[in-house]
Amino acid sequence: MKSTVAAIALAFSVFVGLPTTSSAGSEDIVVEDAWARASIGTNRPGAAYMTVRNTGPDPVTLVGLETPLAMMPDIHETTTDANGVSSMGPVGEITIPAGESVALEPGGMHAMLMRLQIKMVEGETFPLTLNFADGGTLTVDVPILGIAARGPER
Amino acid sequence: MSRRTLLTYGAAIAGVAALTLFIGWWRVDGPGAPEPVAQRPLPLTQMEFQMTDQGGATVGPASLLGNPSMVFFGFTYCPDVCPTTLSDISGWLDDLGDDVAEMNVVFITVDPERDTVDGMAEYVSYFHPAIQGWTGTLDETARAAAGFRASYEKVAVEGGDYTMDHTASVFLFDAEGQFAGTIDYHEPREFAVPKIRRVLATTGEQTS
Ligand SMILES: [Cu+2]
């Protein structure tokens, strides 16, 4: 009986994406509109996008990403200078103030998925774990859309 | 104050004035002048480079004359800017429909070491069918970028891989190869589509 309850709780946490460890702040994080583009093979890096919303009363800091899909996931930011030259690089930690959200979207920040282990196939999903400074984690299932996708399916 | 001191002051002031003028010239017109921001691309007729398109054909700037063109730089190992640009352009082309049937739309790679002809062919096949993918040698890539006044640079990333910084604007040319404007990276459709329509309209006037 106890194990059934645990199994249900586990299943629930996976589907709803509840933080898997109790901690201060990160349990109030909600991820919306996650999506990624399909990849051609595994040589090229992938990118995923989402909105990370902090519904709690305290600031929460996102410190890193993990996924079985890629060996080196990292949060990157694209910037375009006055000459129209675009570059991207790691942003480091992102602190989300209480009640606010941070958007990972094309032309801004993205979850950069370097060293793909598995091809990203349109129609499938992959788990992406967000690690927070308070030790909490949140795993979301990211739907993989077409290579030419422009935004999340709503 | 003696006359001599006055003369010294006078000379010093004249010297400062001359120096100020010199510094002014140096900064504005002389060797110290800043590079002009975002120079205009050359007309296609003045560019010289040779590349291979997604079908294996030899192409160059002259291949684009006769129809209006839209040209941009990128690389297929680019996870964010390039697929965004290609899907934005695909959306503009969908909006323009038959009006753009004759337009050249060319994606030139700045990473020919990784972007082979086959790689470019597969990559562009996922976007609007009008989009071509050109690749060339490192030298020809540099010549192409110089003509468009585009820049690019290899940048190392964690783990020994590299990425490319590059000009992400889309360049427009009329059928005669004259530069006709720029669409900035990720420019909203309501601004981009009228710019393309304008180039198509001027081309229509010239040929009729
Ligand atoms: Cu990136």
Side-chain angles (χ1 to χ4, degrees), chain A residues 76-78 88-89 110 112, chain B residues 79-80:
Chain A
H76 273 194
E77 181 162 34
T78 297
M88 68 174 175
H110 54 273
M112 175 87 168
Chain B
D80 180 48

Side-chain angles (χ1 to χ4, degrees), chain A residues 37 44 49 78 84 86 115 150, chain B residues 76 80 84 87 159 165-166 168:
Chain A
R37 295 189 189 93
R44 297 174 176 85
Y49 304 95
T78 297
S86 284
R115 297 281 166 90
R150 271 172 232 144
Chain B
T76 76
D80 180 48
T84 301
S87 51
D165 289 358
H166 63 90

Side-chain angles (χ1 to χ4, degrees), chain A residues 37 40 43-47 49 72 74 78 80 83-88 90 106-107 110 112 114-115 147-150, chain B residues 37-38 76-77 79-81 83-84 87 90-91 122-123 126-127 151 158-159 161 163 165-169 185-186 189:
Chain A
R37 295 189 189 93
I40 301 172
N43 286 337
R44 297 174 176 85
Y49 304 95
M72 293 199 321
D74 200 1
T78 297
T80 304
N83 293 319
V85 177
S86 284
S87 51
M88 68 174 175
H110 54 273
M112 175 87 168
M114 291 171 285
R115 297 281 166 90
I147 291 181
R150 271 172 232 144
Chain B
V37 173
T76 76
Y77 282 64
D80 180 48
V81 172
T84 301
S87 51
S90 299
E122 177 168 17
Y123 194 78
Y126 292 102
F127 298 91
S151 62
E158 313 95 285
D161 293 336
T163 181
D165 289 358
H166 63 90
T167 301
S169 318
Y185 169 57
H186 215 22
R189 184 179 298 220

Side-chain angles (χ1 to χ4, degrees), chain A residues 70-154:
Chain A
M71 276 169 74
M72 293 199 321
D74 200 1
I75 298 168
H76 273 194
E77 181 162 34
T78 297
T79 50
T80 304
D81 72 13
N83 293 319
V85 177
S86 284
S87 51
M88 68 174 175
V91 285
E93 300 184 346
I94 301 172
T95 298
I96 309 161
E100 294 192 16
S101 62
V102 162
L104 275 62
E105 57 189 2
M109 288 189 282
H110 54 273
M112 175 87 168
L113 308 169
M114 291 171 285
R115 297 281 166 90
L116 285 187
Q117 301 299 295
I118 307 160
K119 183 180 157 160
M120 298 169 74
V121 179
E122 182 174 355
E124 294 186 356
T125 65
F126 69 93
L128 180 68
T129 301
L130 284 64
N131 295 328
F132 297 97
D134 62 4
T137 63
L138 170 59
T139 299
V140 291
D141 267 330
V142 182
I144 301 171
L145 310 182
I147 291 181
R150 271 172 232 144
E153 278 169 350
R154 286 167 196 263

Side-chain angles (χ1 to χ4, degrees), chain B residues 3-205:
Chain B
R3 230 180 120 162
R4 194 183 172 138
T5 324
L6 271 178
L7 273 176
T8 314
Y9 273 120
I13 289 165
V16 167
L19 184 65
T20 308
L21 284 174
F22 175 75
I23 290 172
W25 167 80
W26 181 274
R27 284 200 190 140
V28 178
D29 299 309
E35 288 275 305
V37 173
Q39 282 184 305
R40 293 163 66 94
L42 294 175
L44 292 171
T45 48
Q46 287 174 33
M47 292 190 197
E48 269 182 65
F49 63 89
Q50 200 176 79
M51 297 196 141
T52 306
D53 75 5
Q54 70 289 340
T58 300
V59 284
S63 321
L64 302 176
L65 300 175
N67 287 313
S69 303
M70 195 154 40
V71 182
F72 57 103
F73 290 83
F75 63 113
T76 76
Y77 282 64
C78 161
D80 180 48
V81 172
C82 306
T84 301
T85 301
L86 274 101
S87 51
D88 281 352
I89 290 176
S90 299
W92 306 338
L93 295 174
D94 286 342
D95 272 15
L96 291 158
D98 291 342
D99 297 347
V100 286
E102 298 301 307
M103 190 163 206
N104 303 305
V105 188
V106 181
F107 168 41
I108 298 179
T109 181
V110 294
D111 186 14
E113 290 168 281
R114 291 188 295 197
D115 287 334
T116 59
V117 171
D118 288 348
M120 290 296 281
E122 177 168 17
Y123 194 78
V124 297
S125 75
Y126 292 102
F127 298 91
H128 192 283
I131 302 177
Q132 309 176 39
W134 293 9
T135 184
T137 62
L138 285 170
D139 279 353
E140 295 297 330
T141 304
R143 285 154 65 106
F148 288 95
R149 307 293 191 229
S151 62
Y152 59 97
E153 191 183 354
K154 200 186 253 193
V155 180
V157 293
E158 313 95 285
D161 293 336
Y162 68 90
T163 181
M164 305 292 298
D165 289 358
H166 63 90
T167 301
S169 318
V170 178
F171 303 111
L172 296 169
F173 294 87
D174 66 17
E176 277 70 44
Q178 292 298 316
F179 173 61
T182 298
I183 302 173
D184 290 334
Y185 169 57
H186 215 22
E187 193 163 319
R189 184 179 298 220
E190 56 268 34
F191 298 123
V193 170
K195 283 185 182 177
I196 301 168
R197 274 196 207 285
R198 218 170 301 137
V199 177
L200 293 169
T202 52
T203 300
E205 280 162 28

